[in-house]
Amino acid sequence: MRPWEKAIRSVVPYVPGEQPSGDRIIKLNTNENPYPPAPGVQKALREMDGEQFRKYPDPAANVLVDALSDYYQLQKNRIFVGVGSDDVLAMAFLTFFNSGKPILFPDVTYSFYPVWAELFGIPYEAVPVDGDFHIRPRDYRKDNGGVIFPNPNAPTGICLGLDQVEEIIKANEDVVVIVDEAYIDFGGESARSLIDCYDNLLVVQTFSKSRSMAGMRIGYAMGSETLIRSLSNVKYSYNSYTLNQPSLILGAEAVKDREYFERTTAAVVHTREKAKLRLRELGFTCTDSSTNFVFITHEKVPAQEIFEALRKEQIYVRYFAAPRLKNYLRVTIGTDEDMEAMYRFLESYLK
Amino acid sequence: MRPWEKAIRSVVPYVPGEQPSGDRIIKLNTNENPYPPAPGVQKALREMDGEQFRKYPDPAANVLVDALSDYYQLQKNRIFVGVGSDDVLAMAFLTFFNSGKPILFPDVTYSFYPVWAELFGIPYEAVPVDGDFHIRPRDYRKDNGGVIFPNPNAPTGICLGLDQVEEIIKANEDVVVIVDEAYIDFGGESARSLIDCYDNLLVVQTFSKSRSMAGMRIGYAMGSETLIRSLSNVKYSYNSYTLNQPSLILGAEAVKDREYFERTTAAVVHTREKAKLRLRELGFTCTDSSTNFVFITHEKVPAQEIFEALRKEQIYVRYFAAPRLKNYLRVTIGTDEDMEAMYRFLESYLK
């Protein structure tokens, strides 16, 4: 090892799902929305003036923040935007979790949390979910440096009720509590309604799932003025111009079409509920998912075998080699056609 | 102060230049290129498939890295891309400057360096440039935790020769040395030619200046496999998908048109050299800028007064209220028409 290598930060990076490409592929592995972005996005893309790219984008992202402010009827200084909710969450870790005490998050959860904690040197404690993968609010009643959990949780899809979320916040009024609502639009109740009551509550959402914009990288946070100002200060200390011109323009368009948003999320929910029935008929147990994926295990065949068999058929789902998850698969809800193709294969494979 | 506020990271954020908008405005304050992106960028924008935005972008950014690899004839595993060179540089600070020893950079330089150091808790020493704003390589011969400097330097525009850059690298083989070449295409000699000789040398460039793509937020770094792999690991620990779909596609197009790139950078250089002559006639002293801006001071009128007077005319230039810079203005090279409008005003104002 050369001397300069000693000062390199050592990390175990998050591994994103595969991004295979090809015409025959059925891609149910990264929780993308099967429906395209709202029609207004396409129209704005067609009309976009590429000459303007020579100029920096608005560092305050006003056009996008305005659209979110209108949509949620929330003041602009209570909304923060970033390059996907990963960017927003990473900045939130860096901004809020500096007490030196361990932060708390579930042991079965979004696998980026321990990665960010390691990256920024934040101590943490992974709090076990129960045997049925449920987060127990009472487990979050202990001294800590902050709390973060997804609601609904990933990769289980299980959603806490708003009363349970509030129970966790109430028990943690001395630290920042982050509710990561990447999947909330597919059936959960958002903690957004609580941000007026709790100044220490940050609610994070994304355009990648319910708004069909994973490719644009847009995430946002809502909370008290103090939380948002602190996040903005750290953002301006990291990169003044994070969202590029197309993200600002197309993101704003995506938010404006409430009808399309409601229609496509309802379609995903409909396909998901059908999936639960069909997969049970095939011998799978499904958690009660409120997201755009199902989390399943088979009564006879090990998850990894099913994963490999699907992969050979060019049907990509997600397998996690973690101790508590290794007999489960996370299957993104695709179009009805994609799902039928998967059921057909599983029917013959599991016979 | 509520208890949770105590754990908030306190920062003094970087203040970006104003982004005024309006038809009559002449914007010479953020070093944007006066020419639009290459024609291929416009064409690719017209042809872009917005339906694809529902999917995550390629986390490895292959289409863009391929284009850079072709352009520079450099292996792909020696190129790293990020959301503007600010993102690349911030990640480089986080990745490479962990020895606990102070890193070195010039006292007159890109004002984000101390901001990143503060953000990540990296000790630093600002090494004074000489009375004529020159970086003296011999000042970088001391024990340190890393070295970073822009070449050409900002906001002075002054460029070190490649032999002087190499002198600094040679004296610092035990730490990572970052040469921030945001403006190199306007007249300097890139240290890219040295990355085969020095495994600890990282060269960072951007699409925001010479490639007229500030609005797209694309930056990149070139260096040894070890440096690039370490940066990538930290990136994958921060945000797997940083560059969005339009950045990847349009960025690749911008790189492909070498002829347009050479023609527009030559036009900027031509206007800059004319600017030096015209401004000297008006009583200004100019540093010998190799960038797309000039750094000027007037023999009689304080910089701040000129700044305010220009601003009233809707001509925006950059003023820095820092001790060594407070009698200088940084003026971005615009179109010949923009520059003539500024000369006309200054002529009558300074009379």
Side-chain angles (χ1 to χ4, degrees):
Chain A
M1 183 181 272
R2 288 150 289 186
W4 53 269
E5 291 186 62
K6 288 184 203 137
I8 292 180
R9 186 170 295 257
S10 110
V11 291
V12 182
Y14 173 82
V15 181
E18 304 169 87
Q19 287 292 23
S21 60
D23 286 344
R24 283 195 54 242
I25 278 169
I26 295 181
K27 194 167 173 302
L28 306 173
N29 70 332
T30 54
N31 295 345
E32 289 148 344
N33 199 308
Y35 302 107
V41 172
Q42 311 282 352
K43 185 163 175 284
L45 177 64
R46 292 280 82 77
E47 290 166 3
M48 199 177 291
D49 176 7
E51 300 222 344
Q52 292 306 307
F53 295 161
R54 72 174 187 83
K55 289 202 271 186
Y56 280 99
D58 170 19
N62 279 299
V63 60
L64 179 59
V65 175
D66 279 339
L68 288 165
S69 171
D70 279 356
Y71 188 87
Y72 291 115
Q73 290 296 300
L74 186 65
Q75 303 97 288
K76 289 180 68 176
N77 60 4
R78 302 185 60 189
I79 300 169
F80 174 84
V81 294
V83 181
S85 58
D86 286 344
D87 182 42
V88 175
L89 290 166
M91 282 199 190
F93 270 60
L94 188 58
T95 306
F96 301 119
F97 295 156
N98 299 296
S99 70
K101 290 183 189 174
I103 62 168
L104 307 180
F105 49 76
D107 67 335
V108 172
T109 197
Y110 186 31
S111 47
F112 235 125
Y113 299 163
V115 174
W116 286 319
E118 298 280 353
L119 178 65
F120 298 127
I122 300 164
Y124 63 91
E125 182 186 332
V127 180
V129 294
D130 74 12
D132 295 325
F133 294 117
H134 288 84
I135 291 173
R136 284 175 303 213
R138 67 171 181 277
D139 295 341
Y140 293 81
R141 282 185 217 147
K142 59 171 96 173
D143 195 35
N144 66 67
V147 174
I148 178 163
F149 59 95
N151 196 45
N153 197 9
T156 64
I158 298 169
C159 196
L160 291 178
L162 195 57
D163 53 335
Q164 293 173 294
V165 171
E166 189 166 13
E167 188 182 338
I168 294 175
I169 302 164
K170 266 194 180 147
N172 289 284
E173 296 205 48
D174 288 352
V175 296
V176 172
V177 177
I178 302 175
V179 186
D180 175 0
E181 298 189 336
Y183 301 101
I184 198 74
D185 296 323
F186 299 107
E189 193 177 353
S190 174
R192 197 176 50 248
S193 59
L194 301 176
I195 60 174
D196 285 334
C197 313
Y198 302 96
D199 276 358
N200 62 323
L201 168 63
L202 192 77
V203 174
V204 177
Q205 298 193 357
T206 176
F207 281 52
S208 299
K209 316 296 181 187
S210 56
R211 301 210 181 264
S212 302
M213 297 271 272
M216 290 307 297
R217 315 303 300 122
I218 308 172
Y220 55 106
M222 296 172 287
S224 63
E225 272 186 60
T226 306
L227 291 182
I228 299 304
R229 190 176 52 245
S230 306
L231 265 179
S232 293
N233 284 345
V234 166
K235 169 225 147 90
Y236 281 116
S237 293
Y238 183 88
N239 189 352
S240 313
Y241 309 95
T242 49
L243 271 74
N244 66 14
Q245 193 67 2
S247 285
L248 297 179
I249 295 171
L250 303 181
E253 289 302 323
V255 178
K256 285 177 189 162
D257 195 341
R258 196 183 286 263
E259 187 278 330
Y260 181 83
F261 166 77
E262 287 173 355
R263 185 155 45 88
T264 49
T265 48
V268 169
V269 169
H270 184 258
T271 306
R272 178 191 72 210
E273 293 306 309
K274 214 163 46 178
K276 289 177 185 170
L277 298 175
R278 293 294 297 272
L279 290 163
R280 276 175 197 141
E281 286 166 13
L282 289 164
F284 287 96
T285 304
C286 301
T287 57
D288 185 23
S289 171
S290 302
T291 64
N292 70 337
F293 57 84
V294 285
F295 189 60
I296 60 175
T297 185
H298 195 265
E299 57 192 356
K300 291 187 190 137
V301 189
Q304 196 169 5
E305 282 180 27
I306 303 173
F307 170 75
E308 301 290 358
L310 285 166
R311 203 161 183 281
K312 268 189 200 135
E313 289 297 301
Q314 306 224 51
I315 300 172
Y316 289 79
V317 302
R318 192 85 196 260
Y319 175 71
F320 299 92
R324 296 189 69 176
L325 309 180
K326 64 173 190 268
N327 205 25
Y328 286 80
L329 296 175
R330 191 194 70 184
V331 181
T332 303
I333 302 301
T335 59
D336 284 319
E337 294 69 34
D338 288 345
M339 302 304 280
E340 290 299 335
M342 182 182 70
Y343 305 143
R344 272 198 303 279
F345 169 73
L346 287 173
E347 234 152 21
S348 68
Y349 172 73
L350 295 167
K351 215 180 269 175
Chain B
M1 184 180 271
R2 287 150 291 187
W4 54 268
E5 291 186 61
K6 287 183 203 139
I8 292 180
R9 186 170 294 257
S10 110
V11 291
V12 182
Y14 172 82
V15 181
E18 304 169 88
Q19 287 292 20
S21 60
D23 284 348
R24 282 195 52 240
I25 279 169
I26 296 180
K27 195 167 174 302
L28 306 174
N29 70 331
T30 54
N31 295 345
E32 289 148 343
N33 199 309
Y35 302 108
V41 172
Q42 310 282 352
K43 186 163 175 286
L45 176 65
R46 292 280 80 77
E47 291 166 2
M48 199 177 292
D49 177 7
E51 300 224 344
Q52 292 307 307
F53 295 163
R54 72 174 188 83
K55 289 202 270 185
Y56 281 99
D58 170 18
N62 279 300
V63 59
L64 179 59
V65 175
D66 279 339
L68 288 165
S69 171
D70 278 355
Y71 188 87
Y72 291 115
Q73 291 294 302
L74 186 65
Q75 304 96 288
K76 289 180 68 176
N77 60 2
R78 301 186 61 187
I79 300 169
F80 174 84
V81 294
V83 182
S85 59
D86 286 345
D87 182 43
V88 174
L89 290 166
M91 284 202 188
F93 270 61
L94 189 58
T95 307
F96 300 119
F97 295 156
N98 299 295
S99 70
K101 292 183 188 173
I103 61 167
L104 306 180
F105 48 77
D107 66 337
V108 173
T109 196
Y110 186 30
S111 45
F112 236 125
Y113 298 163
V115 173
W116 287 318
E118 299 279 354
L119 178 66
F120 298 127
I122 300 164
Y124 63 91
E125 183 186 332
V127 180
V129 294
D130 73 13
D132 296 324
F133 294 116
H134 287 85
I135 291 173
R136 284 175 303 213
R138 67 171 181 277
D139 295 340
Y140 293 81
R141 280 185 218 147
K142 56 171 97 173
D143 196 34
N144 66 66
V147 174
I148 179 165
F149 59 94
N151 196 45
N153 197 9
T156 63
I158 299 169
C159 196
L160 291 178
L162 195 57
D163 52 335
Q164 293 174 294
V165 171
E166 189 166 12
E167 187 183 337
I168 294 175
I169 303 164
K170 266 194 179 148
N172 289 284
E173 296 206 49
D174 288 352
V175 296
V176 172
V177 177
I178 302 175
V179 186
D180 176 359
E181 297 189 336
Y183 301 101
I184 197 74
D185 295 324
F186 299 106
E189 194 175 354
S190 174
R192 197 176 52 248
S193 59
L194 300 176
I195 60 174
D196 285 334
C197 313
Y198 301 96
D199 276 357
N200 62 322
L201 168 63
L202 192 76
V203 174
V204 177
Q205 298 192 357
T206 178
F207 281 53
S208 299
K209 316 297 181 188
S210 56
R211 300 209 181 266
S212 303
M213 297 272 272
M216 290 306 296
R217 315 302 300 123
I218 308 170
Y220 54 106
M222 298 172 284
S224 63
E225 272 187 62
T226 305
L227 291 182
I228 298 304
R229 190 176 51 245
S230 306
L231 266 179
S232 293
N233 285 345
V234 166
K235 169 224 147 91
Y236 280 117
S237 294
Y238 183 90
N239 189 354
S240 312
Y241 308 95
T242 50
L243 271 74
N244 66 13
Q245 194 67 2
S247 286
L248 297 179
I249 295 171
L250 303 182
E253 289 302 323
V255 178
K256 285 177 190 164
D257 195 340
R258 194 183 287 263
E259 188 277 330
Y260 182 83
F261 166 78
E262 287 174 353
R263 184 154 46 88
T264 49
T265 47
V268 169
V269 169
H270 184 257
T271 307
R272 178 191 73 210
E273 293 306 308
K274 213 161 47 179
K276 289 177 184 170
L277 298 175
R278 293 295 295 274
L279 290 163
R280 277 175 197 140
E281 286 166 12
L282 290 163
F284 287 95
T285 304
C286 302
T287 57
D288 184 24
S289 171
S290 303
T291 64
N292 70 337
F293 58 83
V294 286
F295 190 60
I296 61 176
T297 186
H298 196 265
E299 58 192 356
K300 289 185 191 139
V301 188
Q304 196 168 4
E305 283 181 27
I306 302 173
F307 170 75
E308 301 289 358
L310 284 165
R311 205 161 181 280
K312 269 190 200 134
E313 289 297 301
Q314 305 224 51
I315 301 171
Y316 289 79
V317 302
R318 192 86 197 259
Y319 174 71
F320 300 91
R324 294 188 70 174
L325 310 179
K326 64 174 191 266
N327 205 24
Y328 285 81
L329 295 173
R330 191 194 70 184
V331 181
T332 303
I333 301 302
T335 59
D336 283 320
E337 294 70 34
D338 288 345
M339 301 305 280
E340 288 299 333
M342 182 182 71
Y343 305 144
R344 272 197 304 277
F345 169 74
L346 287 174
E347 234 153 21
S348 67
Y349 172 75
L350 296 167
K351 214 180 266 168

